[in-house]
Amino acid sequence: AQTVTQSQPEMSVQEAETVTLSCTYDTSESDYYLFWYKQPPSRQMILVIRQEAYKQQNATENRFSVNFQKAAKSFSLKISDSQLGDAAMYFCAYYTGNQFYFGTGTSLTVIP
Amino acid sequence: ETGVTQTPRHLVMGMTNKKSLKCEQHLGHNAMYWYKQSAKKPLELMFVYSLEERVENNSVPSRFSPECPNSSHLFLHLHTLQPEDSALYLCASSQDGTGHTGELFFGEGSRLTVL
């Protein structure tokens, strides 16, 4: 079965500091995509970053980067220089064969 | 308007009521989804419409009835719901087919409370 595990229900970070959110997934597929989505309170979920499994290079989007370890089936999100606007629920997701699988989310608090 | 819009944003209904959730996407996508979001659970896929045909329903109870009249509109008709159906219902869209990279575009959700 395809599953996505986020072991940190809640995390907090000081403003301007760096935080890493963890995600592991289970799959027998070789071709897939991985995503981190952000859901601010009462606002829509938006894509933060995407990683294609066939690419060895870790994806980066400004202050957001991932550590993709394909053999370990690990896909962590690093947020650098955290800002108050980064406070949200973060969902790790896996996509293959027209199917999406989401984790249970990590609630990130940014402390001023 | 742009993106994916959902109405109503909040809905309170009794177990005997009939109501509908509406979703509209302005992105030119050809696939639309209903997800159920409950606290401390992964998003649950309820229905997928690709090119206006339903391709997935994941054994959702019949008290939830989807309708997709065209590629831009998606409805979720609700009747005789249970209190455990209280949740945030998310609509999403994507571009299916060759080159699909899996990105979903979400609406803000409809918060449903069943009394």
Side-chain angles (χ1 to χ4, degrees), chain B residues 15-83:
Chain B
M15 289 193 287
T16 58
N17 290 158
K18 289 185 181 180
K19 297 285 184 183
S20 296
L21 306 181
K22 178 184 176 182
C23 176
E24 184 173 0
Q25 61 98 359
H26 307 272
L27 300 169
H29 289 162
N30 58 11
M32 296 186 76
Y33 309 75
W34 280 116
Y35 280 91
K36 178 182 178 182
Q37 185 178 15
S38 305
K40 296 182 170 54
K41 287 186 174 182
L43 265 65
E44 299 174 46
L45 177 63
M46 299 178 73
F47 301 103
V48 179
Y49 278 84
S50 180
L51 299 172
E52 300 165 40
E53 291 189 8
R54 191 163 77 191
V55 297
E56 183 80 41
N57 69 1
N58 282 306
S59 302
V60 175
S62 59
R63 56 186 183 267
F64 295 93
S65 175
E67 179 189 0
C68 186
N70 55 60
S71 60
S72 298
H73 294 85
L74 184 64
F75 295 88
L76 188 62
H77 303 300
L78 317 168
H79 62 98
T80 59
L81 295 191
Q82 304 298 309

Side-chain angles (χ1 to χ4, degrees), chain A residues 8-73:
Chain A
Q8 306 151 315
E10 298 177 349
M11 292 281 286
S12 61
V13 62
Q14 290 286 145
E15 196 175 2
E17 296 296 311
T18 295
V19 65
T20 299
L21 309 183
S22 66
C23 173
T24 58
Y25 58 95
D26 185 22
T27 183
S28 56
E29 302 289 334
S30 59
D31 186 22
Y32 52 88
Y33 295 87
L34 295 162
F35 305 85
W36 278 98
Y37 281 90
K38 170 186 176 182
Q39 187 179 37
S42 300
R43 293 179 61 188
Q44 67 197 125
M45 197 176 310
I46 58 172
L47 178 68
V48 175
I49 199 165
R50 169 177 53 218
Q51 174 81 43
E52 292 92 336
Y54 65 87
K55 289 188 178 178
Q56 293 185 332
Q57 185 172 6
N58 289 324
T60 299
E61 287 288 340
N62 300 314
R63 298 181 295 106
F64 298 87
S65 61
V66 298
N67 183 3
F68 174 46
Q69 302 290 327
K70 190 172 183 179
K73 296 179 183 175

